[in-house]
Amino acid sequence: MHIFFAMAPLNTPDGFGIWVGAFFTLCILSFLYKDNPFFRFAESIFAGCSLGYYIGNTFSQTIVPNVLEPLVHDGHTPFISWGWWVLVIPIIIGVNLYTRYIPKIAWVARFSLAIYVGYYAALEMMLKLQGEVLPQSADTIISLVPRGTPMIDWFTSIVVMIGVLCVLVYFFFSAEHKGVLGGVSKVGVWFLMISFGAAFAYTIMGRISILIGRVVFLMGDWLGYGA
Amino acid sequence: MLKKKIPVLLCFLAGLLPIISFFFTSPGDGLREANDTLEQWLVVVSGFALLLGVISVFQVNLRKISNRSKGWVNAIYLLASLVIMGAFGLMDAFSEMPGWGWVGTSGNTGFNWIFDAIFQPLQSTMFSLLAFYVASAAFRAFRARNLEAGLLLAAAMVVMLGINPYVVKVLPFLPEWTRWIMNGPNAAAQRGIIIGAALGAASMTLRILLGIERSWLGLQEGE
C-alpha cells in the first residue's frame, strides 16, 4: 500500500495561507495538552482579527454605503437640504456616544443611548410578540378530534400541547409549585430534560463534525494525504 | 432633569414609534416612513457603538502593555492583529467609494487572505476544541441518577445515535424516534421556553419604556 503526502506549496499565496492556517489550527489544538504560549498567541490573534473583521464589515456594509458615499456624492447642500440632515443626524447621534470619554459631559452620551435602547427594545418586543408568541401559540392550539390526520401526528400534537402548558406552568413563579401545580410543573421539567438532552446531543455532534473538518483540512489541504 | 428625565423621555418616544407604526397607519404612510428612517439612522449609530468597543479594547490593552501586567505580550499580538485586519477592512470599504480607486484592491485581497488563512481556521478550531470538553461534560451530565437525568440521557442517546449513519444501518428505526423526539417533546419544551422568554422580554421592554427600569442609564451613586 502506498501512502504519500503532497504538502501545500509555500511559494503561492494560497499555499502559504494553508500553512498559516495549519499553524494556527495546531496552536489552538495544543490546548488539549495544557495551556501554553502558542495557544495564548493564537487566542490573542483570534480576538484581534475578530474585532478587525467587524470594523471592516461595519464600514463596508453600514457606514460607507449609508453615510459617507451619499454624503460625498449625492450633491446635498449642507445645512439646507433635508437629505443632508437625514445623513448627518445619525452621525451626530453616533458621535454623541463618545462624549462619555469627557468626564464633565459624559452624561450627554445617555441621549444617544436612550434613543438606541428605547427603539430596539420596542422593536424587539413587537417582533417577538408577532413573530414568536402568536405563531407558536397558534401552532399549539389544535383540534382534539383527529380529522383526516394520521394518528401519530395527532398524538404528537397532543403531546406538544400538554408539553407547552406544563413548561409554561414550570416558568410561572407567581404561585408556589405545590399540589396540582407542583405535579404539572414536574411534568414540565421532564419535557425540558428531554429537550436539553436532544439539544446537548446535537451540540456534541455539531462540534465533532467541525473537528472532523479541521482534521480533513490538516490531513488533506495541508499534508496532502492521498493526493 | 437633563441628566435623567430627558434620556428617559427620549427612550419612551423612540420606543413609541415602532409600536405606533405597527398598529396604526397615517395619511401618506408618514409613520412607517418615520419608523424606517429612525431604523436606518440607528443602524449607522450601531457602527459608531462598535468603534466605542474598539476604543475600549485599545485602552485596556495599552494599559496592560504600559504596566507590563501579566500577558502584556499577548496584548501586543491582539492590538497588532486588530490594526492589520482593521486597516485592510477599511481599505476594502473605502475602495468601493467613487474617487477612492487609488486605494486599489489590496485591501480586499489582504482582508480576504487573513479571513481565509487566519480568522476562519482559528474560529472553527476554537469551536472544534469544545467537542472534547462537551464530550467530557456529557459524561458527567448523562449519568442516570434520577428520572430527570434518565430522560436527559435517553433523549441524548436516541438523538446522537439516530443521526449517526453507521448506527442507523444497524438500528434503522432510530431516525424515526429521533424525528419524533425533535417534533414532539423537544418542540413542546422549546415552544414553552420561547413563549416564556418573549413574554419576559416584553414585560422588561415595558419597564424600560415607562422608566421603571433605568439600569441602562448607568447612573452613578447619588445621581
Side-chain angles (χ1 to χ4, degrees), chain A residues 14-76:
Chain A
D14 285 349
F16 183 64
I18 290 173
W19 275 83
V20 173
F23 168 72
F24 280 114
T25 301
L26 292 174
C27 282
I28 296 288
L29 289 178
S30 70
F31 187 75
L32 291 172
Y33 171 59
K34 66 175 185 180
D35 196 2
N36 63 74
F38 287 105
F39 174 76
R40 294 271 180 86
F41 168 68
E43 190 187 39
S44 308
I45 298 285
F46 180 47
C49 276
S50 305
L51 208 47
Y53 172 74
Y54 287 115
I55 292 173
N57 239 12
T58 305
F59 266 85
S60 68
Q61 309 280 327
T62 311
I63 293 183
V64 168
N66 292 320
V67 183
L68 296 181
E69 209 177 302
L71 204 60
V72 175
H73 295 283
D74 282 6
H76 297 297

Side-chain angles (χ1 to χ4, degrees), chain A residues 122-131 134, chain B residues 15-27 29 31-32 35 202 205-206 209:
Chain A
L123 186 72
E124 197 62 19
M125 177 179 78
M126 299 313 295
L127 290 178
K128 278 196 183 303
L129 291 179
Q130 196 208 7
L134 295 180
Chain B
L16 215 54
L17 194 57
I19 297 174
I20 291 180
S21 71
F22 179 80
F23 287 109
F24 303 101
T25 51
S26 61
D29 230 6
L31 263 177
R32 189 172 293 277
N35 182 49
T205 299
L206 291 177
L209 295 186

Side-chain angles (χ1 to χ4, degrees), chain B:
Chain B
M1 167 79 179
L2 260 177
K3 291 182 182 177
K4 280 189 283 186
K5 289 191 176 158
I6 298 282
V8 171
L9 183 69
L10 278 174
C11 178
F12 175 74
L13 293 175
L16 215 54
L17 194 57
I19 297 174
I20 291 180
S21 71
F22 179 80
F23 287 109
F24 303 101
T25 51
S26 61
D29 230 6
L31 263 177
R32 189 172 293 277
E33 223 168 86
N35 182 49
D36 291 347
T37 307
L38 186 58
E39 188 173 9
Q40 208 179 329
W41 284 358
L42 292 178
V43 169
V44 175
V45 174
S46 68
F48 283 92
L50 177 91
L51 296 181
L52 205 65
V54 174
I55 292 175
S56 176
V57 167
F58 264 99
Q59 279 183 326
V60 169
N61 284 285
L62 286 176
R63 202 175 304 134
K64 213 178 202 181
I65 294 166
S66 66
N67 294 342
R68 294 284 191 275
S69 342
K70 199 179 168 209
W72 65 275
V73 181
N74 293 318
I76 295 176
Y77 300 145
L78 191 151
L79 291 183
S81 56
L82 194 165
V83 168
I84 293 169
M85 186 70 163
F88 278 127
L90 288 178
M91 283 165 70
D92 181 29
F94 281 104
S95 68
E96 288 158 21
M97 260 177 77
W100 282 70
W102 56 271
V103 174
T105 55
S106 52
N108 182 271
T109 314
F111 191 72
N112 286 342
W113 189 87
I114 296 178
F115 182 85
D116 290 337
I118 301 176
F119 183 75
Q120 197 269 333
L122 278 172
Q123 189 180 36
S124 48
T125 315
M126 203 65 108
F127 277 113
S128 74
L129 197 64
L130 287 177
F132 294 95
Y133 297 101
V134 169
S136 83
F139 180 73
R140 285 191 292 276
F142 289 176
R143 271 179 295 182
R145 283 161 300 194
N146 49 37
L147 178 62
E148 284 83 7
L151 285 170
L152 187 97
L153 168 72
M157 291 312 285
V158 169
V159 172
M160 259 195 293
L161 298 176
I163 54 177
N164 186 322
Y166 294 106
V167 179
V168 169
K169 277 197 172 174
V170 185
L171 305 168
F173 56 87
L174 272 183
E176 198 53 47
W177 287 21
T178 301
R179 210 169 300 130
W180 188 79
I181 288 177
M182 297 310 289
N183 297 337
N186 175 62
Q190 291 300 325
R191 216 169 259 182
I193 292 171
I194 287 171
I195 294 173
L199 292 176
S203 76
M204 179 52 95
T205 299
L206 291 177
R207 284 174 62 87
I208 290 172
L209 295 186
L210 297 173
I212 301 165
E213 172 64 50
R214 295 181 182 192
S215 56
W216 59 270
L217 277 170
L219 291 175
Q220 304 297 319
E221 212 170 303
E223 266 194 89

